Amino acid sequence: MAVYLDYNATTPLAPQVIDAITGSMRDHWANPSSNYTVGKESKAAIEKARGQVAKLIGGASENIVFTSGGTESNNIVFNCILREGEVPHVITSTIEHDSVIKPLNHLKDNGSIELTCVKPVNGYISVSDVMNSVKSNTRLISIMLANNETGAIQPVKEIGEVIRLYNINNNKIGQERILIHTDAAQALGKISVDVQELKVDYLTIVGHKFYGPRIGGLYIKGLTSNETPYKHFFAGGGQERGYRPGTENTPMIVGLGTAAQLVSDRLIHHMSHLRSICEYLRKRLKEKFDDGVHFNSSDSDCLPNTCNFSLTASHLLQGPVILRHLKSSQISLGAACHSHDTFKASFVLLESGVSEDIALNALRVSVGRETTRADIDIFINDLSQAVNDIIIK
């Protein structure tokens, strides 16, 4: 079986999560909105999971709404700032995930919002560049917590601190506050995430990035007190406390809660392991390819599990060519959602200052909880053989 090294794309379900989901399918089959015993038990299971997810991000359970995943959560946030009689201004970055960039561009194109996309400096968004983009009608700043391709951890906390002071000063003169959203999909399960420290109003949660099911959630600061605006997309019943119509997917929610609890219980251990394996990967790449390897992601201020690199010895070593020659390992070029597109250099790398010739050769390796040094050795040997086959042919 090939070694899997694409954990930023998705993770397998943890065994405990599988057990929780299957147990819930057996025990929590009743409609959570029903007022009899088995319905109440299903409702209680959902509320337990809500508390587990809230604990993962340092928030309160009443501020969590379960969603189908990250794309829905992100779209909900952007829907929340739309209003009659105003065209709000949104600030984001040029290296966001498609589930942020595409809906924001759609809203811009139909005249619903003004949009400023801040370009990173060496892969990182500058706080000063964000603040220099603020206008009188700025209503939202949406910056990802960690980039899915490079692993670069963005200064969301620092932006939150500056905006908090900005809002305090503006409140004195009656101006509306600026809201902050972060898509934390890639960060959860790999680094500590605390909404209080980040000072965000919205935070996107994606289960399949931390060994949970393919559903997600959205944190909304002060949801029940209407501190932060919230509008759902759908018309329907009063499920999810009236915040998201549709009968809840109880087993998957239970699975998400279990995955969140596993992270909360073992995060320090997981971080240490991921960092150790990723450092070993970098070491082996340097040993095998010497000056022929170029790292497109930093080993500091970066997710502990992510390594984006290019092999620069030949223009023949473009990412897709290498992938076709790998026999014993499974890695990616970058975001899985681009896998069906015509191949071109990653826009994330280009925006981060990587030259096109190097970006065309880029590969992303993202390790997981179960990845071992032996797995890395298999990958290095596989990669070396692939390079030899390509250059010789």
Side-chain angles (χ1 to χ4, degrees):
M1 183 175 177
V3 172
Y4 181 74
L5 296 171
D6 197 20
Y7 288 87
N8 282 8
T10 197
T11 55
L13 290 173
Q16 300 93 321
V17 173
I18 295 174
D19 290 344
I21 291 172
T22 53
S24 182
M25 290 174 121
R26 180 189 63 242
D27 300 332
H28 305 133
W29 52 267
N31 193 315
S33 297
S34 301
N35 202 32
Y36 35 75
T37 301
V38 286
K40 290 180 178 178
E41 289 172 351
S42 295
K43 186 69 171 180
I46 290 173
E47 295 312 312
K48 177 182 177 182
R50 199 185 311 278
Q52 291 170 318
V53 172
K55 179 182 177 182
L56 172 65
I57 62 169
S61 60
E62 62 264 24
N63 293 331
I64 301 294
V65 174
F66 293 114
T67 69
S68 62
T71 296
E72 181 188 345
S73 294
N74 290 339
N75 276 266
I76 286 174
V77 171
F78 308 142
N79 186 55
C80 289
I81 64 164
L82 302 181
R83 62 190 75 178
E84 292 287 337
E86 181 192 59
V87 179
H89 175 236
V90 178
I91 300 171
T92 189
S93 82
T94 59
I95 56 171
E96 298 295 315
H97 190 270
D98 275 357
S99 63
V100 169
I101 288 287
K102 289 190 173 181
L104 286 177
N105 276 328
H106 173 73
L107 291 172
K108 179 195 71 173
D109 291 344
N110 68 24
S112 297
I113 65 169
E114 294 179 25
L115 182 63
T116 298
C117 297
V118 176
K119 186 171 182 174
V121 179
N122 296 322
Y124 296 88
I125 302 304
S126 162
V127 178
S128 61
D129 285 347
V130 170
M131 294 309 298
N132 288 337
S133 300
V134 170
K135 302 164 63 173
S136 61
N137 63 329
T138 301
R139 297 290 175 261
L140 179 71
I141 297 172
S142 180
I143 302 292
M144 63 184 0
L145 189 49
N147 187 266
N148 49 305
E149 293 192 32
T150 66
I153 299 171
Q154 302 301 328
V156 174
K157 178 181 177 181
E158 291 78 7
I159 293 170
E161 290 172 346
V162 173
I163 290 296
R164 183 181 68 85
L165 296 176
Y166 181 91
N167 284 335
I168 290 173
N169 292 330
N170 273 4
N171 184 57
K172 294 176 183 177
I173 56 176
Q175 287 193 6
E176 194 168 339
R177 71 187 174 107
I178 297 173
L179 303 167
I180 300 179
H181 164 245
T182 190
D183 182 342
Q186 286 297 338
L188 291 168
K190 300 163 190 169
I191 60 173
S192 176
V193 177
D194 189 306
V195 292
Q196 308 304 324
E197 292 182 0
L198 295 173
K199 297 178 176 60
V200 293
D201 300 286
Y202 304 101
L203 184 138
T204 293
I205 301 159
V206 180
H208 74 97
K209 303 296 187 180
F210 56 94
Y211 296 79
R214 289 195 175 109
I215 66 165
L218 179 63
Y219 163 83
I220 308 101
K221 181 181 179 182
L223 174 62
T224 56
S225 62
N226 297 317
E227 179 181 348
T228 300
Y230 181 82
K231 294 185 291 185
H232 56 69
F233 280 123
F234 314 116
Q239 294 90 348
E240 268 300 272
R241 302 164 294 151
Y243 296 115
R244 185 179 184 266
T247 302
E248 296 92 339
N249 190 346
T250 307
M252 295 303 115
I253 290 173
V254 168
L256 183 67
T258 302
Q261 187 63 54
L262 290 173
V263 173
S264 297
D265 291 345
R266 299 277 287 169
L267 180 60
I268 300 301
H269 170 77
H270 293 327
M271 288 174 61
S272 176
H273 173 74
L274 295 173
R275 185 173 292 108
S276 173
I277 296 298
C278 212
E279 287 174 353
Y280 182 69
L281 167 62
R282 285 175 171 267
K283 175 174 174 285
R284 288 301 322 275
L285 285 168
K286 290 176 183 176
E287 288 173 350
K288 180 64 68 173
F289 301 103
D290 197 20
D291 293 336
V293 61
H294 179 277
F295 293 104
N296 303 316
S297 56
S298 171
D299 57 358
S300 60
D301 296 323
C302 183
L303 293 176
N305 80 315
T306 304
C307 180
N308 192 306
F309 66 94
S310 299
L311 299 180
T312 59
S314 169
H315 70 279
L316 298 175
L317 300 177
Q318 290 190 356
V321 179
I322 290 179
L323 291 191
R324 287 196 297 269
H325 283 79
L326 292 176
K327 296 180 175 63
S328 307
S329 45
Q330 299 173 101
I331 63 171
S332 71
L333 306 180
C337 57
H338 296 155
S339 60
H340 301 297
D341 295 346
T342 302
F343 176 65
K344 52 188 176 183
S346 162
F347 76 89
V348 169
L349 295 182
L350 296 178
E351 289 292 318
S352 299
V354 177
S355 64
E356 185 171 11
D357 58 331
I358 291 178
L360 286 169
N361 286 20
L363 300 168
R364 182 189 69 182
V365 174
S366 47
V367 304
R369 297 176 190 170
E370 297 81 18
T371 307
T372 64
R373 293 192 173 201
D375 292 330
I376 299 301
D377 290 337
I378 291 171
F379 165 65
I380 293 296
N381 291 335
D382 193 19
L383 180 61
S384 179
Q385 185 61 56
V387 169
N388 289 337
D389 291 343
I390 294 166
I391 292 178
I392 290 173
K393 290 179 181 179

